[in-house]
């Protein structure tokens, strides 16, 4: 089956305390977003990549491609006001109804090709495959002034890629948007589909704070 990847890069990165959006911050000599795209191309050069960017940042991306002589082919489309709208715009770029599509955060540049490959293979069987990791620390539920310990083994931290049968996720994104639909798995689940999780990786971090940038740089250096 044809494999697609929608890379959503709409965050402004206010917590990064930088003047540019976090997906464009340089990491080990290359913008974060280019690392992310390279990860999918490292898995397979045949993956068709759709990059979703805010309209006013497409020119920035084009300038960075010139600056870094970055010639990897991607289809660029504009995002919406929310992640839901941005993913939907990305799905609309894909004319096919058959295939598999991985939806991935633009600021998760350290996703391994083994994780990407597993997501496509498992989604081909189960119609969905969502990367997740076990919690390392204890957690508690808070209710105003009281807290209660819960069994952390019952919970998972959800990552991307979140990979789906293309027809299934296209149909799922026809539902009405709601604030509770925070990721693609929740959209598919609201549409009546069972979500299959698979083991992600603790190194597959989402870069949202300055500390994450330091950790990501260390992980890259450790790989080389």
């Amino acid at each position: 089956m044809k494999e697609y990847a929608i890379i959503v890069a709409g965050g402004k990165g206010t917590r990064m305390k930088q003047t540019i959006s976090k997906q464009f911050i340089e990491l080990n000599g290359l913008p974060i977003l280019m690392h992310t795209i390279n990860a999918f191309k490292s898995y397979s050069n045949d993956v068709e990549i759709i990059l979703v960017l805010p309209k006013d940042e497409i020119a920035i991306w084009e300038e960075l491609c010139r600056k870094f002589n970055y010639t990897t082919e991607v289809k660029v489309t504009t995002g919406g006001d929310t992640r839901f709208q941005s993913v939907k715009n990305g799905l609309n770029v894909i004319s096919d109804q058959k295939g598999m599509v991985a939806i991935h955060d633009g600021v998760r540049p350290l996703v391994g090709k083994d994780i990407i490959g597993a997501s496509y293979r498992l989604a081909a069987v189960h119609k969905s495959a969502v990367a997740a990791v076990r919690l390392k620390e204890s957690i508690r539920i808070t209710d105003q002034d009281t807290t209660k310990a819960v069994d952390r083994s019952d919970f998972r931290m959800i990552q991307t890629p979140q990979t789906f049968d293309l027809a299934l996720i296209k149909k799922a994104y026809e539902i009405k948007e709601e604030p509770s639909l925070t990721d693609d798995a929740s959209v598919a689940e609201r549409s009546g589909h069972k979500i299959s999780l698979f083991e992600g990786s603790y190194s597959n971090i989402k870069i949202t704070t300055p500390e994450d940038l330091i950790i990501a740089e260390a992980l890259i250096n450790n790989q080389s």
Side-chain angles (χ1 to χ4, degrees), residues 137-148:
E137 301 181 38
S138 299
I139 59 172
R140 300 183 69 88
I141 292 178
T142 62
D143 181 14
Q144 294 182 344
D145 295 331
T146 63
T147 69
K148 180 182 178 182

Side-chain angles (χ1 to χ4, degrees), residues 86-135:
S86 293
V87 172
K88 190 170 184 177
N89 287 357
L91 288 169
N92 288 338
V93 171
I94 304 172
S95 57
D96 287 348
Q97 293 300 317
K98 292 183 178 180
M100 311 306 300
V101 58
I103 304 169
H104 189 67
D105 298 322
V107 289
R108 285 190 191 269
L110 296 172
V111 60
K113 59 184 179 181
D114 55 336
I115 298 294
I116 296 170
S119 78
Y120 285 118
R121 290 193 302 273
L122 292 169
V125 175
H126 302 291
K127 304 294 185 182
S128 70
V130 175
V133 292
R134 299 174 186 273
L135 277 66

Side-chain angles (χ1 to χ4, degrees), residues 2-18:
K2 177 71 176 177
E3 294 174 339
Y4 298 89
I6 295 174
I7 297 179
V8 187
K12 293 298 182 183
T14 53
R15 284 178 287 178
M16 292 297 294
K17 300 177 182 177
Q18 300 230 12

Side-chain angles (χ1 to χ4, degrees), residues 139-202:
I139 59 172
R140 300 183 69 88
I141 292 178
T142 62
D143 181 14
Q144 294 182 344
D145 295 331
T146 63
T147 69
K148 180 182 178 182
V150 293
D151 185 353
R152 68 184 178 193
S153 66
D154 292 335
F155 297 86
R156 298 291 183 273
M157 291 178 61
I158 302 302
Q159 302 179 328
T160 64
Q162 299 186 10
T163 306
F164 301 89
D165 173 85
L166 183 55
L168 181 152
I169 198 64
K170 276 192 167 189
K171 182 68 175 177
Y173 265 91
E174 293 177 3
I175 68 173
K176 182 180 178 182
E177 180 181 3
E178 296 179 9
S180 60
L181 302 175
T182 56
D183 65 356
D184 315 294
S186 59
V187 174
E189 188 174 50
R190 181 66 58 85
S191 301
H193 301 290
K194 183 180 178 181
I195 300 303
S196 297
L197 302 182
F198 73 98
E199 198 68 30
S201 169
Y202 292 112

Side-chain angles (χ1 to χ4, degrees), residues 12-25:
K12 293 298 182 183
T14 53
R15 284 178 287 178
M16 292 297 294
K17 300 177 182 177
Q18 300 230 12
T19 56
I20 61 172
S21 295
K22 56 188 176 181
Q23 57 264 23
F24 300 139
I25 295 171

